[in-house]
């Protein structure tokens, strides 16, 4: 949260940025993304992850700071995408506050973006998106 305060004070810094795994365990994202049934302790842990996202996004919205959520490895990204989209639904009504990252080396991302666009139009929220080649491209092709 201090980072958002810092960015608010510095006009030369256009975004605050964090990785989803700053909010929760990598393995938990993988389980959620694969649709695994979580034991009650991990359900509670996942709820805390979502609350952390909301806390950060709410502060960014209140201060008028744009918030970029970086992409990570594909095997955990589905769960992160779900949370980021939910944050866009809440905080991107009048302007894009919350931004996701789209890794263009992934063959599934264009379809994801098209479906996200349909949902955004239907539900009345603005998509915030950063397009990147993808820092994990070499790692994931090995």
């Amino acid at each position: 949260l201090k980072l958002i305060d810092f960015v608010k004070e510095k006009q030369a810094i256009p975004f605050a940025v964090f990785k989803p795994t700053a909010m929760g365990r990598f393995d938990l994202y993988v389980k959620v993304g694969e649709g695994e049934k979580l034991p009650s302790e991990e359900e509670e842990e996942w709820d805390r992850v979502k609350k952390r996202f909301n806390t950060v996004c709410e502060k960014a919205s209140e201060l008028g700071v744009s918030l970029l959520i970086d992409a990570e490895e594909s095997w955990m990204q589905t769960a992160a995408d779900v949370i980021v989209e939910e944050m866009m639904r809440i905080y991107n009504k009048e302007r894009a506050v919350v931004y996701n990252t789209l890794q263009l080396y992934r063959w599934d991302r264009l379809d994801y973006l098209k479906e996200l666009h349909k949902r955004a139009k239907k539900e009345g929220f603005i998509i915030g998106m950063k397009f990147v080649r993808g820092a994990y491209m070499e790692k994931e092709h090995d």
Side-chain angles (χ1 to χ4, degrees), residues 2-13 63 65:
K2 290 179 182 178
L3 175 64
I4 296 170
D5 289 327
F6 179 80
V7 170
K8 176 66 176 171
E9 296 172 8
K10 310 292 182 195
Q11 289 189 355
I13 303 173
L63 295 181
V65 171

Side-chain angles (χ1 to χ4, degrees), residues 11-105:
Q11 289 189 355
I13 303 173
F15 289 93
V17 181
F18 72 89
K19 288 193 167 290
T21 51
M23 302 294 178
R25 289 186 301 116
F26 185 93
D27 292 341
L28 186 60
Y29 283 95
V30 173
K31 287 179 180 182
V32 170
E34 292 175 350
E36 276 189 39
K37 174 90 172 101
L38 300 176
S40 61
E41 310 85 49
E42 287 187 327
E43 277 289 343
E44 291 171 8
E45 183 181 358
W46 186 243
D47 286 342
R48 289 192 302 272
V49 169
K50 294 187 287 188
K51 286 178 185 170
R52 289 177 195 129
F53 265 84
N54 189 64
T55 298
V56 172
C57 292
E58 182 178 44
K59 174 119 184 190
S61 179
E62 287 172 359
L63 295 181
V65 171
S66 296
L67 185 62
L68 174 62
I69 295 120
D70 254 343
E72 297 197 51
E73 288 92 346
S74 62
W75 42 90
M76 64 76 59
Q77 191 62 43
T78 299
D81 288 342
V82 170
I83 296 176
V84 175
E85 182 176 333
E86 182 56 32
M87 296 299 105
M88 284 186 205
R89 274 190 190 88
I90 296 168
Y91 298 106
N92 290 11
K93 293 292 190 183
E94 296 175 20
R95 71 177 194 89
V97 172
V98 179
Y99 289 75
N100 204 352
T101 302
L102 197 74
Q103 297 169 309
L104 296 174
Y105 73 92

